[in-house]
Amino acid sequence: MTAEPTAAEPAAGPLWRDRNFATFWTGQALGQFGAQLGQLAFPVLAVTLLHASEFEVGVLNAAGLAAFLAVGLPAGAWVDRWLKRRTMISADLLRMGAMAAVPILWWSGGLEMWHLYVVAGIVGTATVFFDVAYQSYVPVLVAYPRVREANSKLEATAQLARIGGPAAGGALLAVVSAPMLFVGEAAGYLLSAVFLARTRDSEARVSAAARRPLPVEIREGLTFVVRHPLISRIAACTGGMNFSGMLIFTMMPLLVLRGLGLGPQGMGLIMTVGAAGGLLGAVAAPRLAAWIGEGTVIPVCAVISSVFLLLVPFAAVISEPGVSLALLLVSEVGFGFSVLVYNIMQLTMRQRVCPPRLLGRMNASIRFAVWGVMPLAALASGYLGEHLGLVPTMLIGAAGSLLATAPVLFSPLRRMRTLPDEVQADEVFEDRALGSP
């Protein structure tokens, strides 16, 4: 008999009073804060200190995301076999060691771009396993009726970290060098591992006798995603939007740091304001879902986020840096708000409709599809940026993002007040597998 993860019983009071969830929540907040320092440190170090070209910036972004394409699918099958909390702890410790290597190389005078590629690749690989385990762990930690509430709280603190992290990083860069920010990110991963070690759950490891060949388990996860009438549309939309958005965001540091001359503080301000929009989205997601509809809010926010992306290429062609900065700030706030609502609701839907035994493989299949396109987009952005320029590359990305919303815009989600639960989803999936309409 296969041992499957079981969610904790509902807490008697508000979820934040659940000490076990609060421990997990605190660790993730600290880890996210440290990670945001690295989000600013990588582009600033590459562009301002190592003088990276457009294509080198594209390669750096691709290196950090390549693991989603290379090991994304088997990661899900492996995570379903492993204990998810231990997987996250191991990933945190690996990321900590990789990030700590950057300041050591810088202080020794030997840091080069290829070192950043390697570090980004190691951190990206560890992040694949962490994220698959993380997204599959919430239904293990809390009862299914509280999954949406847990996701909302976790995303809210993640956005607070994205507000404070870049702001703190931008301020620190006025007095310290960019490599010092990597020390802060390493510390964040260490703290995340410590709090994960203090978290308790009832998850049981899948017995060796219950395992099947790895290709069979991978295929089962992919089949579930492809055949599910809602998840397949979510994957298509998110993958298209991620590819298009990466065309824009890969070039963003070059636009802000070189093209507009706003410096690291300007870059930090843009990231902070965008995260503030994301925080509002994370807090508002449950209320918007209740008002507009749990399914309806997904295509609505997909379209809104794409519209706000259109402001980025317009900001690039305006000669007044102050106006350009204002447009970028508006774009980041609107994009951050709508994307977070979209992500919370589509993630909640996936966690609710997927059988527990398939959670890791389902999440890994989704990540393979929607993140696997991003390293390809980063390389394409670097190539287009060098040959066409920043503005044409960003316009292509903005137009592509709007087109990518079609799978969810023209779907049953548009009229769905309430998302299906697991039992309903299994019935839909079985009907599809049998060829029923």
Side-chain angles (χ1 to χ4, degrees):
M1 182 175 178
T2 303
E4 294 184 355
T6 56
E9 291 299 319
L15 191 54
W16 59 268
R17 289 185 177 177
D18 182 336
R19 292 183 63 183
N20 197 45
F21 176 77
T23 300
F24 175 73
W25 190 12
T26 302
Q28 293 317 295
L30 294 171
Q32 286 281 351
F33 183 85
Q36 291 311 305
L37 295 178
Q39 289 294 315
L40 183 61
F42 261 115
V44 170
L45 180 59
V47 173
T48 64
L49 297 184
L50 298 180
H51 310 292
S53 67
E54 287 86 349
F55 186 70
E56 286 175 324
V57 171
V59 173
L60 179 60
N61 278 359
L65 297 165
F68 287 97
L69 188 61
V71 298
L73 286 177
W78 285 324
V79 167
D80 277 342
R81 297 177 177 185
W82 302 338
L83 295 176
K84 295 171 181 61
R85 184 168 61 89
R86 292 185 183 179
T87 300
M88 289 187 283
I89 292 172
S90 299
D92 272 335
L93 295 177
L94 182 58
R95 293 189 291 187
M96 178 197 70
M99 297 303 292
V102 174
I104 294 173
L105 287 167
W106 173 258
W107 292 326
S108 69
L111 184 65
E112 298 178 11
M113 277 300 300
W114 73 267
H115 292 128
L116 291 188
Y117 300 155
V118 172
V119 169
I122 293 172
V123 172
T125 301
T127 298
V128 169
F129 287 94
F130 184 94
D131 284 358
V132 171
Y134 176 82
Q135 291 190 345
S136 306
Y137 187 63
V138 172
V140 173
L141 193 64
V142 303
Y144 273 96
R146 313 198 77 167
V147 165
R148 185 179 71 180
E149 181 187 356
N151 283 333
S152 182
K153 284 176 166 53
L154 289 166
E155 284 296 338
T157 48
Q159 290 307 307
L160 282 173
R162 291 181 184 119
I163 292 171
L172 285 171
L173 284 171
V175 293
V176 301
S177 61
M180 279 298 297
L181 297 187
F182 287 84
V183 177
E185 182 165 7
Y189 290 136
L190 176 60
L191 288 170
S192 173
V194 169
F195 278 86
L196 277 168
R198 294 173 58 85
T199 303
R200 296 292 176 263
D201 59 66
S202 58
E203 183 182 19
R205 188 191 299 271
V206 175
S207 66
R211 298 174 185 172
R212 288 170 294 167
L214 190 63
V216 173
E217 294 191 345
I218 292 173
R219 185 169 63 249
E220 189 175 10
L222 275 173
T223 300
F224 180 82
V225 170
V226 171
R227 290 185 176 177
H228 195 283
L230 299 181
I231 293 181
S232 58
R233 290 178 177 271
I234 289 289
C237 172
T238 309
M241 292 179 68
N242 279 356
F243 185 94
S244 302
M246 185 55 61
L247 294 178
I248 295 175
F249 294 124
T250 298
M251 294 294 101
M252 186 75 84
L254 292 164
L255 170 65
V256 174
L257 297 172
R258 287 185 188 166
L260 300 178
L262 298 174
Q265 288 72 32
M267 188 76 185
L269 176 62
I270 291 169
M271 293 172 67
T272 295
V273 170
L279 173 62
L280 293 175
V283 173
R287 293 182 177 87
L288 278 177
W291 177 41
I292 300 175
E294 290 183 332
T296 307
V297 77
I298 293 175
V300 167
C301 286
V303 172
I304 291 174
S305 66
S306 297
V307 170
F308 275 105
L309 275 183
L310 285 168
L311 295 178
V312 178
F314 285 111
V317 298
I318 294 176
S319 57
E320 175 55 48
V323 177
S324 296
L325 177 60
L327 282 175
L328 291 176
L329 294 176
V330 171
S331 174
E332 286 291 313
V333 168
F335 181 80
F337 179 92
S338 51
V339 161
L340 257 292
V341 176
Y342 173 90
N343 280 337
I344 287 172
M345 293 314 302
Q346 63 90 8
L347 175 59
T348 298
M349 185 268 288
R350 284 158 43 199
Q351 290 172 335
R352 278 167 51 175
V353 305
C354 183
R357 67 185 181 83
L358 284 174
L359 275 170
R361 280 166 284 170
M362 179 275 292
N363 284 323
S365 297
I366 290 286
R367 279 297 174 105
F368 173 78
V370 307
W371 285 67
V373 300
M374 294 172 73
L376 304 178
L379 292 174
S381 182
Y383 178 84
L384 292 173
E386 282 200 353
H387 291 81
L388 298 182
L390 293 180
V391 176
T393 301
M394 291 179 167
L395 282 171
I396 292 171
S401 184
L402 272 173
L403 290 174
T405 65
V408 294
L409 185 60
F410 303 103
S411 76
L413 287 166
R414 197 174 72 244
R415 299 179 299 276
M416 194 173 287
R417 291 289 307 174
T418 304
L419 292 171
D421 59 26
E422 185 186 339
V423 174
Q424 292 171 317
D426 280 343
E427 292 171 352
V428 169
F429 180 58
E430 288 170 6
D431 287 344
R432 266 297 188 89
L434 293 172
S436 301

